[in-house]
Amino acid sequence: MSIRNDDSSTAGPRGTAPIEDQILDAAYSCMLDFGLRRTTLAEVARRAGVSRPTVYRRWPDTRAIVADLLTREIRRVTPEPAGGGPARDRLVRAVVTTADAIGSHPLFEKIRSTDPDVLTTYIVDRLGTSQRMLLDTLTVGVADGQRDGSIRTGDPHRIAVMVLLTAQSVVQSARAVADTTARGDLLTELGHAVDAYLTPVQEGPP
């Protein structure tokens, strides 16, 4: 029988998950049950099977732990631009896949329905950690496409910002047009929009 040490970075009741993931898993459970405003670090600690100081040493408040939880979940559903073909095709597929995964994620759905102001803060006022992570991935993908000639010229970061804003708008606003446009159709149009935006401009005859 092993003895769990709350201060260990790897110990936990399951014996395998790092304690940070163990706590984030508990926060996920609380979020789905209560929403952000009714989730407390004390309840997170209870569900994680650790002491409250163990949680407080890592996260000062509920919003901080939710921010890290969102980043972890988005990282899990974000695919690498893989597969054959030009880098632009791979990037477009990754954008559509990620938008689909985030838009249908239970945690995102819960926050959107119970605490929409959290999303407004990240979308209107500032970029969150998860968005910066996505932006970095997009910037690399754009640069790859520019090297193989499949993506138009321009500052890769600036182009990536516009792709992020476009996909983010679709994810955030999909519910508003749900009665007129099926989710799958909306994602298809997102792919067309991003692909057209990234495609190099073909110069016509003089």
Side-chain angles (χ1 to χ4, degrees):
M1 178 178 179
S2 61
I3 298 176
R4 175 169 55 83
N5 178 358
D6 284 350
D7 294 329
S8 168
S9 63
T10 58
R14 291 185 296 277
T16 55
I19 197 168
E20 286 81 8
D21 275 337
Q22 181 181 321
I23 295 170
L24 289 175
D25 287 344
Y28 188 113
S29 172
C30 288
M31 284 290 299
L32 293 186
D33 285 347
F34 308 127
L36 175 59
R37 288 185 177 85
R38 294 174 57 201
T39 292
T40 65
L41 292 189
E43 177 62 15
V44 170
R46 188 189 71 79
R47 293 194 181 197
V50 301
S51 66
R52 279 184 285 181
T54 298
V55 178
Y56 287 119
R57 278 194 291 270
R58 291 165 170 82
W59 293 280
D61 53 37
T62 305
R63 286 187 177 250
I65 196 171
V66 170
D68 279 358
L69 176 59
L70 283 170
T71 299
R72 186 190 73 169
E73 294 304 304
I74 290 176
R75 181 178 289 115
R76 285 179 171 179
V77 301
T78 303
E80 291 295 329
R88 186 182 79 243
D89 293 346
R90 300 196 301 271
L91 184 60
V92 170
R93 285 196 299 269
V95 168
V96 173
T97 300
T98 302
D100 184 26
I102 293 175
S104 60
H105 195 288
L107 183 61
F108 179 84
E109 289 283 354
K110 184 68 175 184
I111 294 175
R112 184 166 56 183
S113 63
T114 62
D115 305 284
D117 58 300
V118 174
L119 297 179
T120 301
T121 296
Y122 288 122
I123 291 171
V124 177
D125 296 332
R126 62 185 175 87
L127 289 177
T129 302
S130 55
Q131 290 163 301
R132 293 184 184 279
M133 176 188 68
L134 291 172
L135 185 57
D136 289 343
T137 300
L138 288 169
T139 301
V140 171
V142 170
D144 287 344
Q146 290 176 333
R147 281 191 291 270
D148 74 10
S150 64
I151 291 179
R152 67 179 179 85
T153 59
D155 180 75
H157 175 79
R158 189 172 62 197
I159 293 173
V161 166
M162 185 55 64
V163 173
L164 175 65
L165 292 177
T166 302
Q168 183 172 272
S169 175
V170 169
V171 171
Q172 176 66 11
S173 303
R175 182 180 296 179
V177 297
D179 60 337
T180 65
T181 308
R183 177 182 179 80
D185 293 338
L186 195 62
L187 291 169
T188 297
E189 294 306 317
L190 170 63
H192 290 320
V194 173
D195 185 65
Y197 175 67
L198 296 176
T199 299
V201 177
Q202 300 295 326
E203 294 186 2

